[in-house]
């Protein structure tokens, strides 16, 4: 899976680096000063790299925990996000990471404890609830067997009463959660699109049935789970396909016990969109139904409203209204 591993010299000081390198026995290991010099280099081809990404082990400097962008999050409580990894092992055509980064290589930050310390500091600054979102610049769990990040993070949330954690994922790598007692302040949020959208646009993603089974197993074990329909992708026959997706999910998931269901529009900054269209000029998603307004590309307002309202109505057949959140934008 990984042929080349770049290691920042400083990253060798962290035990996680040696553990990860040892997992990829045959990989070529190349030392580097700073991952950014390679990761941000101009004239890289994201699409080509995506076929055989290298792994970069790095130390995250500066702020590790950042306020969530507007439109992201669950409720009025302040929210922060963090990314222990950049890029994703999956390959969704609508993913904004393709527009954001020049490189498809995976960056894994090995200074886990610095992330944890910063989360603790932010939680300690408030008495009221505060959310921390993982899975903004990556999938929260897809590479967990390699990074072990979530496994090390969970005990922190066991003793932070006001902190809430969302692990957003399309992965079925849930072993770290099954190994521990469920925590009431942690939500594992699984993302779904309809079958036609998934087949056309989500490559390498575990199929819907496996994701539902993983979610059901966590719910049965006592973990709080959520569903994310974000972004909602329009296609012919969307309404029926969305109805059947909900039917499949809530045949196995107890909607009444669901933590939350979030529904988000497909919307991207114009520059990201342009870069993504250059990567996949023949992709139908980028060729139809979209409009460009105020620097953002998405569905025209009326279509977006109709999609979100229709999805909300359908989800509300299974989930209490106050657990449903409709959001503009997202990935
Ligand atoms: S949309 Fe999510 S699962 Fe898909 S490639 Fe992007 S980060 Fe990964």
């Amino acid at each position: 899976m990984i042929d080349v591993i770049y290691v920042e010299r400083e990253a060798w000081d962290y035990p996680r680096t040696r553990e990860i390198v040892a997992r990829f026995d045959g990989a070529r290991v190349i030392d580097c000063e700073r991952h950014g010099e390679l990761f941000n280099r101009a004239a890289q081809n994201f699409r080509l790299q995506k076929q055989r990404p290298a792994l970069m082990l790095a130390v995250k400097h500066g702020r590790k925990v950042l306020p969530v962008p507007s439109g992201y999050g669950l409720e009025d409580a302040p929210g922060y996000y963090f990314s222990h990894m950049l890029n994703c092992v999956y390959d969704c055509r609508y993913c904004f990471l393709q527009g954001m980064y020049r490189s498809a290589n995976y960056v894994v930050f090995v200074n886990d404890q610095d992330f944890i310390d910063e989360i603790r500091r932010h939680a300690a600054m408030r008495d009221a609830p505060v959310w921390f979102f993982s899975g903004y610049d990556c999938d929260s769990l897809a590479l967990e067997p390699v990074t072990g990040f979530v496994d090390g993070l969970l005990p922190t949330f066991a003793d932070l009463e006001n902190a809430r954690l969302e692990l957003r994922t399309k992965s079925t790598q849930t072993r770290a959660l099954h190994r521990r007692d469920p925590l009431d302040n942690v939500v594992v949020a699984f993302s779904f699109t309809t079958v036609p959208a998934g087949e056309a646009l989500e490559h390498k993603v575990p199929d819907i049935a496996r994701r539902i089974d993983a979610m059901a197993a966590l719910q049965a074990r006592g973990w709080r789970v959520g569903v994310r329909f974000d972004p909602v992708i329009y296609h012919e026959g969307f309404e029926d396909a969305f109805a059947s997706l909900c039917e499949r999910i809530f045949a196995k998931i107890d909607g009444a016990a669901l933590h939350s269901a979030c529904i988000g529009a497909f919307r991207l900054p114009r520059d990201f969109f342009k870069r993504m269209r250059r990567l996949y000029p023949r992709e139908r998603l980028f060729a139809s139904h979209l409009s460009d307004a105020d620097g953002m590309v998405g569905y025209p307002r009326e279509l977006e409203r109709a999609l979100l309202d229709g999805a909300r109505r359908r989800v509300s057949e299974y989930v209490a209204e106050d657990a449903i959140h409709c959001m503009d934008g997202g990935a």
Side-chain angles (χ1 to χ4, degrees):
M1 170 197 178
I2 296 290
D3 299 326
V4 178
I5 307 178
Y6 294 96
V7 184
E8 279 185 355
R9 281 186 215 288
E10 193 187 351
W12 284 115
D13 296 340
Y14 295 82
R16 182 73 78 205
T17 299
R18 294 183 190 281
E19 284 165 27
I20 294 176
V21 168
R23 285 183 71 101
F24 299 103
D25 212 9
R28 197 150 57 97
V29 178
I30 303 171
D31 284 345
C32 65
E33 277 314 317
R34 288 270 172 263
H35 77 281
E37 291 160 14
L38 299 163
F39 191 71
N40 300 323
R41 207 167 45 192
Q44 301 190 73
N45 187 318
F46 192 101
R47 187 171 170 176
L48 275 180
Q49 274 185 2
K50 193 76 192 166
Q51 289 167 17
R52 229 161 175 72
L55 180 61
M56 297 176 163
L57 303 179
V59 176
K60 174 78 176 163
H61 293 280
R63 293 170 72 190
K64 290 144 204 82
V65 175
L66 296 157
V68 288
S70 76
Y72 199 87
L74 283 171
E75 44 192 63
D76 288 340
Y80 297 92
Y81 74 95
F82 57 88
S83 299
H84 69 288
M85 179 176 169
L86 309 180
N87 277 326
C88 183
V89 301
Y90 306 137
D91 190 6
C92 304
R93 285 294 170 273
Y94 53 77
C95 182
F96 79 107
L97 297 176
Q98 309 165 102
M100 191 156 76
Y101 297 133
R102 288 178 170 156
S103 168
N105 290 332
Y106 311 142
V107 178
V108 169
F109 296 113
V110 292
N111 50 331
D112 305 16
Q113 192 56 46
D114 294 337
F115 281 82
I116 289 170
D117 292 346
E118 207 165 308
I119 287 169
R120 282 188 181 281
R121 273 201 299 280
H122 277 82
M125 284 192 289
R126 301 176 185 272
D127 297 326
V130 49
W131 275 94
F132 294 91
F133 295 92
S134 162
Y136 189 76
D137 294 305
C138 62
D139 183 285
S140 298
L141 294 173
L143 215 61
E144 178 62 18
V146 173
T147 68
F149 180 81
V150 170
D151 195 38
L153 179 65
L154 289 173
T156 302
F157 281 83
D159 59 24
L160 286 178
E161 270 184 24
N162 65 328
R164 317 271 182 271
L165 171 67
E166 178 189 285
L167 298 168
R168 190 177 290 207
T169 190
K170 287 194 184 91
S171 167
T172 56
Q173 298 287 357
T174 52
R175 242 167 304 162
L177 292 138
H178 281 283
R179 274 200 298 263
R180 294 182 183 277
D181 289 338
L183 298 170
D184 216 35
N185 55 346
V186 174
V187 179
V188 192
F190 287 82
S191 297
F192 294 94
T193 54
T194 61
V195 169
E199 282 175 352
L201 302 170
E202 294 173 346
H203 306 284
K204 304 185 197 164
V205 172
D207 68 29
I208 290 176
R210 286 176 55 215
R211 271 178 276 161
I212 295 173
D213 285 347
M215 184 164 54
L218 284 175
Q219 193 178 49
R221 173 91 168 76
W223 285 96
R224 307 188 80 186
V225 295
V227 288
R228 303 292 176 258
F229 304 110
D230 182 11
V232 170
I233 303 286
Y234 175 70
H235 55 81
E236 214 170 292
F238 170 79
E239 221 175 299
D240 289 346
F242 190 78
S244 117
L245 174 64
C246 288
E247 227 171 84
R248 286 177 70 184
I249 293 172
F250 295 108
K252 293 202 171 170
I253 301 299
D254 178 1
L258 197 76
H259 173 270
S260 50
C262 296
I263 304 163
F266 172 74
R267 203 183 276 185
L268 287 167
R270 183 188 294 142
D271 291 347
F272 286 17
F273 177 80
K274 280 187 184 163
R275 252 179 260 161
M276 289 158 68
R277 194 169 50 187
R278 270 200 299 274
L279 287 175
Y280 297 98
R282 296 160 75 92
E283 176 54 65
R284 284 174 60 191
L285 170 71
F286 304 139
S288 51
H289 302 299
L290 297 173
S291 72
D292 182 336
D294 303 326
M296 299 296 284
V297 175
Y299 296 124
R301 209 61 200 162
E302 314 77 66
L303 175 58
E304 181 182 287
R305 208 55 277 156
L307 282 172
L308 297 187
D309 289 350
R312 183 180 194 121
R313 269 196 305 277
R314 187 62 67 181
V315 173
S316 66
E317 291 174 17
Y318 306 92
V319 180
E321 272 293 339
D322 61 357
I324 304 175
H325 308 263
C326 247
M327 295 173 290
D328 291 338

